[in-house]
Amino acid sequence: MPAPGDPAPPTTAHALANDDVRRLVGKYRTQGPRYTSYPTALQFLGMDEGAAIARLETAAAREDEPWSVYVHVPFCEKRCSFCACAVVASPERDRVSAPYVEALVRELDLVAARIGRRRGLAQLHLGGGTPTYLEPDLLARLYTEIDRRFESAPGVERSIELDPRVTTPWHLDVLGEAGITRVSLGVQDLDEHVQALIGRHQSAECTRMLVEGVRERGSFGVNLDLVYGLPGQTLATMSATVRDVIGLAPDRVALYGYAHVPWMRGNQKEIDEQELPSAEARLEMFLAAREAFLAAGYVAIGLDHFALPTDDLAVALHDGRLMRNFMGYTVAAGTDLLGFGVTAIGDVADVMLQNTAKLSRYLDVTARGRLPTEKGLHRTADDRLRGRIITDLMCRHSVDTAAVARDFALVGTDGETDDDRRAAFDLRFAEELARMAPMLEDGLVELAGGRIRVTDRGAPFVRNLAMLFDAHLQGPALEAPSTPSEQLLSISKRPLRRHSSTV
Ligand code: SF4
């Protein structure tokens, strides 16, 4: 029974009726990657500084191409009990912040020494942790040091993640001066009971004031991050949060599914499992939230984002330019990505490179003038082919099989037609297409006109479809999902949030 004053749950006028939801969740629920890359970080092997230097020097030759840059600030004052990010919890800001920024500056210098005159920026993002854990003067210093080594042309997206609880007006002034164009605010859930259960108190007023403070300072795009599947959440509480978030008129909303992995993240042991919503309730929440954002005029972007039709992501989706990288959906992918800081991942000249996850090691290695690369992966030709299919599914919910066969030369050029190309694709992926049969029968995907197309009712299950094309997963994804502990070992920027329950 809803409590007095609770908002009425939304009607379920979406593509899945309740009985359908229960059946499909039972059939397709598994753990899976969020495919911010393919292969995922799960497949990373040991990689040393020499390999990283070789890739940087190879990429340096493409002087006219810009870089995407990601900088990881791992610190938070206290760890929220639901969090699965790569975080260093420390209340001692003064002790840890300055040495870390010094180490970042050293890493910037080490990389700059290898990339010659290729210094243009296509995208800059600061994530964490909590980047505004750094005091405003240190944050300003970090931007100054980045801008000494890279050149931002007008229109380049410069974004940062903000925790409304620690971000001050002075931080916002720094962001204005640094030319930041987009901020992402962690909201998670506005319900006070849910916030108590996840150890993160952040009043609706605190969130609203930061949104207003951001807007007063200029034309920042505002993203709000929500999480469904948290303890204490119900369809009613989630709907109330979504309603209030829509009232703040963000340009984008990210709606992530909570991954409960206490065997991997000790802080999650504080969460009472009895309070977690069922798998069916999770999907109901997701679908209701999706319906509410669409009704409010937002455009669904791939798996879990919603954007106003005027937002860059929505425009890129419309134009077929939407891509995905370790920072999530982006319009700037296709450029090489440099990652700075603890656990940061780069993607340079077809090789993924990851820095050490240990703060002490990061500080020590950079102090000795060495790059802190510790893991990575060289993509094979098969990885590139499958990566293209998975990106098309995640970004466009559609794969043009003839275009893939043409771009990856699956058929010879003599007398080649689209029919030849489709036949070549079907032959190459005969096994994957055969394993798609249950999803076809359930109306989650269609094969027509040489396209694999995810239907509206199949959208929540797009990762299950992508997993069919993932050659690195053990066994058929639908019948024998790989174990959660294996799957969740991904150490991307936000490892577990990006590798969670598929529905
Ligand atoms: S949820 Fe955000 S603020 Fe909380 S511990 Fe994780 S990164 Fe830090």
Side-chain angles (χ1 to χ4, degrees):
M1 285 283 289
D6 275 351
T11 56
T12 50
H14 45 64
L16 291 166
N18 283 352
D19 283 355
D20 226 8
V21 167
R22 273 186 276 281
R23 187 178 66 78
L24 293 173
V25 167
K27 188 169 177 180
Y28 294 109
R29 188 172 189 229
T30 183
Q31 299 284 343
R34 294 189 65 245
Y35 291 116
T36 51
S37 71
Y38 179 79
T40 69
L42 275 177
Q43 273 72 48
F44 285 7
L45 303 168
M47 189 171 285
D48 62 14
E49 182 193 30
I53 289 172
R55 302 326 291 177
L56 291 169
E57 291 181 346
T58 299
R62 298 198 294 270
E63 286 183 13
D64 294 340
E65 290 184 26
W67 300 97
S68 288
V69 169
Y70 172 72
V71 181
H72 190 73
V73 179
F75 305 111
C76 295
E77 286 191 351
K78 176 178 169 290
R79 194 170 177 85
C80 309
S81 59
F82 78 101
C83 180
C85 301
V87 163
V88 177
S90 172
E92 300 176 275
R93 280 195 202 204
D94 294 344
R95 189 177 66 78
V96 297
S97 298
Y100 187 71
V101 170
E102 290 310 315
L104 283 173
V105 173
R106 283 196 293 273
E107 192 187 1
L108 283 163
D109 273 335
L110 292 166
V111 170
R114 302 290 175 178
I115 59 173
R117 292 189 299 177
R118 184 178 170 188
R119 298 302 177 95
L121 265 187
Q123 180 186 22
L124 169 66
H125 183 71
L126 263 63
T130 304
T132 47
Y133 176 98
L134 303 178
E135 294 291 353
D137 57 339
L138 266 182
L139 189 61
R141 159 114 200 271
L142 182 53
Y143 278 118
T144 301
E145 298 292 352
I146 292 167
D147 289 333
R148 277 196 185 133
R149 292 156 184 84
F150 294 95
E151 294 154 14
S152 281
V156 163
E157 178 161 300
R158 292 164 67 90
S159 54
I160 184 170
E161 294 166 15
L162 302 181
D163 181 341
R165 300 168 305 166
V166 301
T167 304
T168 66
W170 298 279
H171 283 109
L172 298 185
D173 290 341
V174 167
L175 302 185
E177 282 158 24
I180 299 312
T181 60
R182 182 172 296 282
V183 295
S184 289
L185 277 64
V187 175
Q188 329 308 349
D189 192 298
L190 291 171
D191 185 89
E192 287 183 16
H193 177 58
V194 174
Q195 291 184 2
L197 293 175
I198 61 172
R200 181 191 169 101
H201 179 68
Q202 177 179 318
S203 68
E205 182 66 4
C206 171
T207 301
R208 187 186 61 74
M209 282 178 63
L210 187 61
V211 171
E212 286 177 2
V214 163
R215 289 190 170 134
E216 279 165 13
R217 282 166 177 78
S219 56
F220 296 86
V222 174
N223 301 6
L224 299 182
D225 290 354
L226 299 179
V227 179
Y228 68 94
L230 291 172
Q233 273 180 337
T234 64
L235 191 56
T237 65
M238 189 72 202
S239 300
T241 288
V242 168
R243 178 199 61 206
D244 292 347
V245 161
I246 289 171
L248 294 170
D251 302 272
R252 291 180 197 168
V253 176
L255 181 62
Y256 298 113
Y258 169 60
H260 188 61
V261 286
W263 60 94
M264 298 278 302
R265 293 294 187 196
N267 55 306
Q268 292 187 349
K269 289 185 182 143
E270 293 167 26
I271 286 180
D272 179 354
E273 295 188 358
Q274 301 297 321
E275 300 276 3
L276 290 172
S278 67
E280 293 85 355
R282 280 174 64 104
L283 184 57
E284 276 291 330
M285 283 180 216
F286 173 80
L287 292 171
R290 183 174 191 272
E291 192 176 306
F293 286 121
L294 297 182
Y298 286 82
V299 176
I301 307 288
L303 176 66
D304 47 20
H305 282 58
F306 301 88
L308 291 177
T310 49
D311 184 89
D312 288 350
L313 281 190
V315 175
L317 175 69
H318 179 265
D319 297 346
R321 293 181 291 109
L322 187 68
M323 293 296 287
R324 206 154 161 78
N325 66 15
F326 287 107
M327 294 181 263
Y329 288 106
T330 176
V331 297
T335 58
D336 291 313
L337 169 69
L338 297 172
F340 295 93
V342 173
T343 72
I345 297 178
D347 195 342
V348 180
D350 246 341
V351 175
M352 293 181 276
L353 305 161
Q354 183 169 30
N355 284 348
T356 179
K358 278 196 128 181
L359 178 61
S360 57
R361 184 162 166 73
Y362 177 76
L363 297 174
D364 177 53
V365 170
T366 51
R368 287 190 281 113
R370 310 283 302 272
L371 286 171
T373 310
E374 208 164 75
K375 290 192 210 173
L377 186 93
H378 288 257
R379 282 193 189 83
T380 65
D382 186 65
D383 289 337
R384 285 193 288 276
L385 168 60
R386 290 173 184 274
R388 159 70 178 274
I389 296 167
I390 288 172
T391 298
D392 282 350
L393 287 172
M394 298 296 290
C395 294
R396 285 166 272 288
H397 286 189
S398 173
V399 179
D400 180 339
T401 61
V404 171
R406 180 197 62 223
D407 295 348
F408 288 84
L410 297 188
V411 65
T413 50
D414 289 348
E416 185 184 330
T417 65
D418 274 356
D419 283 345
D420 296 333
R421 296 184 188 114
R422 286 175 196 135
F425 182 98
D426 291 353
L427 189 63
R428 173 70 178 261
F429 293 105
E431 217 176 282
E432 288 80 356
L433 293 168
R435 283 194 285 137
M436 207 180 285
M439 300 189 83
L440 286 163
E441 279 163 23
D442 286 323
L444 306 181
V445 61
E446 292 172 348
L447 296 177
R451 282 186 181 271
I452 302 169
R453 197 182 72 78
V454 183
T455 62
D456 280 352
R457 78 190 244 114
F461 304 95
V462 64
R463 282 195 286 166
N464 297 72
L465 188 58
M467 287 163 74
L468 292 180
F469 290 91
D470 185 337
H472 295 274
L473 290 179
Q474 301 279 316
L478 298 183
E479 290 91 21
S482 45
T483 65
S485 54
E486 270 176 354
Q487 290 287 316
L488 290 161
L489 271 167
S490 168
I491 309 173
S492 65
K493 176 177 89 73
R494 291 180 152 183
L496 304 180
R497 192 184 288 173
R498 290 178 179 220
H499 203 127
S500 54
S501 176
T502 51
V503 287

